[in-house]
Amino acid sequence: MADGATLNNPHPQSEATRGRGTARSGVEGATPDTVLASAPSTTSWSPSPAKGGGGFDVHAARAQFPILSRTVNGKPLVYLDSAASAQKPRAVIDALTAAMEGSYSNVHRGLHTLANETTEAFEQARETVARFLNAESPDQIVWTKGGTEAFNLVAAGLAQSLKPGDEIVTTQMEHHANIVPWSMLRDRLGIVLKWAPVLDDGSLDMAGLAALIGPRTKLVAVTHMSNVLGTVNDVRAVADLAHAAGALVLVDGCQGAVHCSPDVQALDCDFYVFTGHKLYGPTGIGGMYGKRAALEALPPYQGGGEMIATVTEDAVTYAGIPHRFEAGTPPILEAIGLGAALEWFMAFDRQAVAAHERALYDHVVARLSGLNWLRIIGEAPGKGAILTFTVEGAHAHDVAQILDRYGVAVRAGLHCAEPLSKRFGITSSARASFALYNTVEDADAFVDALIKAREFFV
Ligand SMILES: *Cc1c(COP(=O)(O)O)cnc(C)c1O
């Protein structure tokens, strides 16, 4: 462990667990009780319940993220912007370096040793994603450069069979990545885009959604977990509604994959989209799971190498799934890095991690309760650890910039979900999002900085 990590260590009581290297879990040292004993303002803090027998040691996990020991504006970094992009553990950094130093080549088209080794590592990462999502088979995992490209891949495929008057149903809580590709189809093809309402507490109006699904519905596109509200939707129930009408269901799992331990077979979705950089992996990689029938019915996306079976001057035949959706040299290193991230992540008890994140959220909300200048957007039962809020008399951008002076990183603006802001009658909001590595000290530093920030606006 670099000296800097010790010098900048914002959490002295976690010193014991820092520098213990890369043990994945179960490292002795700081326990929730020792945190409780030494942290300030812990009135409502309760340790995460350990479900599944694994438990979760946040300090051991946090110590694996080199960036988290740096400072920002002279203060220890408090990173609460993981819903925009998560930081990377040593296991991912090492996997990328090891690939570049030890075995790297293009994939699928060489007969030499490095090509074979790299192809194996690349396809192994696909197998890891399949295990992570509980897909039936690795060939039902399609690589893309991120979540956004996967929505566009499905939209481009569906465009070839949609007719004017066909309907796509989505919701008011979607990310622009799960809106704009469908809006583009509407404008191009004359299909109808319908919007399921969001209730005042941030829940999806399931009755309202059901009422929109009918015989002309071809696709229901819904998020597993909102990146703004934190709402976790019952996507299995949505899938049942869609399938009863003969429609496909696409689930935006860009947040859900991180926080909801998805099992795509249990969810019965036709497509499940994920993005690597929010899963503690690199940027430039993401993809989707598809049911075999749904993928086989989808025409190819881009044309080029890798996605073909044969090419003559007069005709082209395509490769089978998943390769026919993966034209050109794929993001090889990024896929290998994501595979390493998911192997690392799966070594934790993911339900205990989610419970830890939610306990941090509850702690913050308890400390903020009763502040009449703060409005929280999204309080659906069972929601994930995303706190979106407005501060009376302050633009969210200013709030975020003042928090940054205290080393606290939050997102501010429309969060790529403009219809949702409109639904709640706001033009911007700030968002603190919690991840596996956040501690109760982070949560307290955020609340303390927010209360100080408020003084700038009164
Ligand atoms: C981040 C995000 C996306 C888009 O993912 P990219 O990695 O930016 O392509 C889509 N939906 C949700 C809910 C997200 O949080």
Side-chain angles (χ1 to χ4, degrees), residues 82-85 144-151 173-178 223-228 252-256 273-278 283-286 386 411 415-416 431:
S82 301
S85 205
T144 61
K145 72 178 166 66
T148 299
E149 189 177 35
F151 295 99
M173 69 169 83
E174 301 307 316
H175 187 285
H176 292 163
N178 194 22
T223 194
H224 196 178
M225 175 172 159
S226 162
N227 63 307
V228 180
D252 176 354
C254 290
Q255 300 293 335
V273 173
F274 59 91
T275 195
H277 65 100
K278 296 180 185 173
T283 51
I285 186 73
I386 289 179
R411 172 98 192 253
H415 316 292
C416 299
R431 177 185 72 189

Side-chain angles (χ1 to χ4, degrees), residues 118-248:
T118 308
T119 302
E120 198 171 307
F122 176 73
E123 291 300 332
Q124 182 60 42
R126 196 190 305 271
E127 193 276 326
T128 300
V129 174
R131 212 162 4 96
F132 176 72
L133 296 175
N134 194 33
E136 294 88 342
S137 152
D139 64 6
Q140 288 167 252
I141 304 299
V142 177
W143 294 124
T144 61
K145 72 178 166 66
T148 299
E149 189 177 35
F151 295 99
N152 282 280
L153 187 162
V154 173
L158 293 182
Q160 301 194 29
S161 57
L162 290 173
K163 303 196 174 43
D166 283 346
E167 296 170 2
I168 293 179
V169 176
T170 187
T171 85
Q172 286 182 323
M173 69 169 83
E174 301 307 316
H175 187 285
H176 292 163
N178 194 22
I179 295 176
V180 182
W182 320 127
S183 310
M184 291 166 85
L185 292 185
R186 177 193 58 201
D187 297 346
R188 210 172 95 210
L189 302 173
I191 64 161
V192 177
L193 190 52
K194 294 187 162 180
W195 301 86
V198 171
L199 302 174
D200 287 343
D201 73 347
S203 303
L204 182 59
D205 179 350
M206 287 296 282
L209 174 75
L212 296 178
I213 298 175
R216 296 222 67 175
T217 309
K218 299 297 176 207
L219 177 74
V220 179
V222 62
T223 194
H224 196 178
M225 175 172 159
S226 162
N227 63 307
V228 180
L229 304 165
T231 305
V232 176
N233 291 316
D234 183 353
V235 287
R236 173 60 203 244
V238 175
D240 291 346
L241 288 171
H243 292 152
L248 295 168

